[in-house]
Amino acid sequence: MSMAAVAESPKNMPAQAQVGYQQMPLSFLKAGAVAKVAKVRGKGDVHHHLENMGFVEGADVRVVSENGGNLIVQVKGASVALDKSIASKIITC
């Protein structure tokens, strides 16, 4: 494999450089899905609280379970329960 191929690999690209990859809210993912946080929408306390829980750009997120749009996810080694409205503020790729 050439060095150019390694440099262009999606895993080596920062989240904002992955423009060609489909971005979607975390609330759209189903149980077992794994994604990266591309950005966190919202302002003020909600945005700050999500970042404190580990939802920062580039963080890996795994959906443990989904029920009616409400999720239990793992992020940075912690399990977190999110309702659908909050999960929709976390954009993944």
Side-chain angles (χ1 to χ4, degrees), residues 24-88:
M24 67 179 67
L26 180 59
S27 57
F28 286 15
L29 301 180
K30 299 298 179 196
V34 177
K36 283 199 179 290
V37 175
K39 61 186 167 188
V40 178
R41 297 186 305 189
K43 297 186 184 194
D45 291 340
V46 172
H47 186 269
H48 185 69
H49 185 63
L50 289 170
E51 285 184 335
N52 284 340
M53 288 192 297
F55 295 98
V56 295
E57 186 176 320
D60 291 324
V61 180
R62 183 174 69 87
V63 179
V64 176
S65 68
E66 181 270 332
N67 186 4
N70 300 317
L71 303 173
I72 297 177
V73 300
Q74 281 191 328
V75 61
K76 300 209 173 208
S79 293
V80 179
L82 301 170
D83 73 5
K84 187 175 184 174
S85 66
I86 297 298
S88 68

Side-chain angles (χ1 to χ4, degrees), residues 1-7:
M1 183 186 308
S2 71
M3 290 303 286
V6 172

